[in-house]
Amino acid sequence: MGEKLADLQYQPGFGNYFSSEAIPGALPRDQNSPLVCPLGLYAEQISGTSFTSPRKLNQRSWLYRIKPSVTHEPFKPRVPAHTRLVSEFDASNSRTNPTQLRWRPEDVPDSPTDFVDGLYTVCGAGSSFLRHGYTANKGMKDSAFCNADGDFLFVPQAGRVWIETECGRLLVSPGEIAVIPQGFRFSIDLPDGKSRGYVAEIYGAHFQLPDLGPIGANGLAAPRDFLAPTAWFEEGLRPDYTIVQKFGGELFTAKQDFSPFNVVAWHGNYVPYKYDLHKFCPYNTVLVDHGDPSVNTVLTAPTDKPGVALLDFVIFPPRWLVAEHTFRPPYYHRNCMSEFMGLIYGAYEAKADGFLPGGASLHSCMTPHGPDTTTYEATIARVNAMAPSKLTGTMAFMFESALIPRVCHWALESPFLDHDYYQCWIGLKSHFSRISLDETNVESTDKKTGASE
């Protein structure tokens, strides 16, 4: 692994048109598909959008490979079937639940489990988006995964993931994310032996940077900080190599005698990428009130309705809290969007207890949520000592969607489901007092009287 890391290089930029060669001269110079490609390679295009999508939205790449990806045996249903991976959500595999839900971290299994077997669905909506988790303790040996249904957004929480793709290699650590677009074949190894994390999957759209509006030209996630891989390839025979394809929510396998990572050169704008969340430039209130969490959106997958997302990926990073006369933790809220939260490390500012790194919570459409009792009482007790403070040592995130998720049966029956989650709000007591209101009114009247004199 050390030798691999020493050779690792990236190309910076988001949405760029990239080109990369593992061997100089491997890319055709004047056309995409010459009669004979340099080095005897095969030209193969992968399209992430329809041919006739508007140019500003069109995504595709040309791959120049030792053997084309079509060279495999017929796909067959994977045996055994993956019973905790869901695509179409209905009453047979999931149900709606307006209750606030929270899960403790899932244990990494003791038995050998790679990424494919360790991937499990928590919730989702129709055929539009899903929230998965994964736990794994071994790499994918002589096999690669391909999601023909949609894009994967990886959020590792514990343990690094080494991702080999057809465009090159990515090393993704907790505190970083990676996006593997629809259709790319990839394999995951675990440099630290074990890994756990979160995965969001979207159908029919790709992630893009949010518009900055009045913020201006700079801020949030800078395009230059996204990193795409550089060309790298494997050659030679690999008997019984297995391609695992997720297709229509089901898993299929096909055998071939070579590695799918045999791309010697490529060019295009449809490519896997990673991003370090610590490079995010957050925005926050500098005078009064608590801003909406959308101000710290890293990536968004928009719908056709302006301002409404199929999925927003929002983070709650270290930052200064300076608002005056303001309840600084997130406010109490009911939202037309559904919010799935995770914690990578540290503590979340609105939950003093119970929300653990590797855990998750789900607050669905119009389900009330907000700071727990301990956080609220501790905050208002500091009413006369609200000096600026820096929130450090934390990284929480949210997958937010306009769709109402259905929750898988096993997630609702999981031993990691926190059945006492609701108790964190039960202790909230009434602080209502007419006396304090009268005092405020008297003070306000005195000020007005003094001003008039």
Side-chain angles (χ1 to χ4, degrees), residues 44 46 63-65 67-69 145-146 163-169 183-187 229-233 259-266 272:
E44 178 179 297
I46 181 169
L63 314 179
Y64 299 91
R65 55 195 321 151
K67 291 183 71 173
S69 58
F145 190 84
C146 175
I163 309 177
E164 295 178 346
T165 79
E166 293 171 278
C167 290
R169 301 167 294 178
F184 274 99
R185 294 175 175 180
F186 65 92
S187 184
T230 54
W232 164 85
F233 69 96
S259 167
F261 312 119
N262 65 351
V263 178
V264 181
W266 60 270

Side-chain angles (χ1 to χ4, degrees), residues 43-56:
E44 178 179 297
Q45 183 176 202
I46 181 169
S47 298
T49 56
S50 65
F51 293 138
T52 53
S53 291
R55 179 171 286 228
K56 65 180 181 180

Side-chain angles (χ1 to χ4, degrees), residues 35-106:
L35 179 62
V36 178
C37 292
L39 307 181
L41 299 172
Y42 288 86
E44 178 179 297
Q45 183 176 202
I46 181 169
S47 298
T49 56
S50 65
F51 293 138
T52 53
S53 291
R55 179 171 286 228
K56 65 180 181 180
L57 301 176
N58 209 297
Q59 297 187 43
R60 61 98 168 100
S61 287
W62 280 91
L63 314 179
Y64 299 91
R65 55 195 321 151
I66 297 170
K67 291 183 71 173
S69 58
V70 71
T71 314
H72 61 77
E73 297 177 5
F75 279 102
K76 300 176 181 178
R78 183 176 183 261
V79 177
H82 197 315
T83 56
R84 293 211 303 166
L85 200 58
V86 175
S87 177
E88 293 287 347
F89 288 81
D90 56 37
S92 70
N93 55 36
S94 59
R95 57 186 184 265
T96 55
N97 189 328
T99 299
Q100 303 93 345
L101 300 173
R102 184 165 71 185
W103 293 269
R104 295 181 292 275
E106 181 113 356

Side-chain angles (χ1 to χ4, degrees), residues 84 109 325 375 398:
R84 293 211 303 166
H325 314 296
T375 301
M398 177 169 66

Side-chain angles (χ1 to χ4, degrees), residues 274-446:
K274 62 175 275 187
Y275 173 72
D276 185 345
L277 299 177
H278 303 97
K279 295 186 176 182
F280 187 80
C281 178
Y283 278 73
N284 207 354
T285 297
V286 295
L287 191 58
V288 297
D289 284 347
H290 190 291
D292 295 328
S294 53
V295 74
N296 287 322
T297 300
V298 180
L299 292 170
T300 183
T303 65
D304 293 335
K305 188 175 182 179
V308 178
L310 172 64
L311 191 76
D312 281 335
F313 176 63
V314 180
I315 64 171
F316 304 89
R319 61 200 183 279
W320 279 95
L321 305 177
V322 300
E324 300 175 344
H325 314 296
T326 295
F327 185 77
R328 291 178 181 172
Y331 44 73
Y332 293 98
H333 192 204
R334 287 179 294 162
N335 192 356
C336 65
M337 308 283 277
S338 295
E339 304 177 7
F340 181 97
M341 286 199 60
L343 183 61
I344 302 172
Y345 58 81
Y348 177 51
E349 59 187 306
K351 298 291 187 296
D353 303 301
F355 190 41
L356 304 175
S361 67
L362 175 62
H363 304 142
S364 292
C365 172
M366 290 304 172
T367 293
H369 54 280
D372 60 18
T373 302
T374 302
T375 301
Y376 182 83
E377 294 294 339
T379 301
I380 64 172
R382 297 194 301 268
V383 65
N384 295 318
M386 293 295 284
S389 61
K390 188 175 183 181
L391 196 63
T392 60
T394 180
M395 185 68 74
F397 72 89
M398 177 169 66
F399 297 143
E400 185 176 59
S401 176
L403 304 179
I404 298 177
R406 297 180 66 90
V407 186
C408 293
H409 295 320
W410 50 81
L412 293 173
E413 298 162 1
S414 168
F416 301 102
L417 180 65
D418 184 356
H419 294 281
D420 294 326
Y421 183 30
Y422 74 97
Q423 293 280 2
C424 77
W425 295 290
I426 294 299
L428 288 168
K429 60 187 179 181
S430 172
H431 292 272
F432 177 75
S433 170
R434 290 181 180 274
I435 296 176
S436 63
L437 180 64
D438 291 340
E439 290 175 349
T440 301
N441 288 339
V442 169
E443 182 183 352
S444 179
T445 303
D446 290 344

Side-chain angles (χ1 to χ4, degrees), residues 62 75 77 105 107 113-114 138 158 193 203 207 241 260 270 273-274 276 284-285 341 431:
W62 280 91
F75 279 102
D107 292 335
T113 305
D114 66 10
K138 74 168 188 174
Y203 301 156
F207 288 105
Y241 198 99
Y270 192 52
Y273 55 88
K274 62 175 275 187
D276 185 345
N284 207 354
T285 297
M341 286 199 60
H431 292 272

Side-chain angles (χ1 to χ4, degrees), residues 178-200:
V179 172
I180 307 296
Q182 177 187 14
F184 274 99
R185 294 175 175 180
F186 65 92
S187 184
I188 288 183
D189 200 1
L190 307 176
D192 302 321
K194 296 181 179 180
S195 185
R196 177 177 61 201
Y198 313 84
V199 179

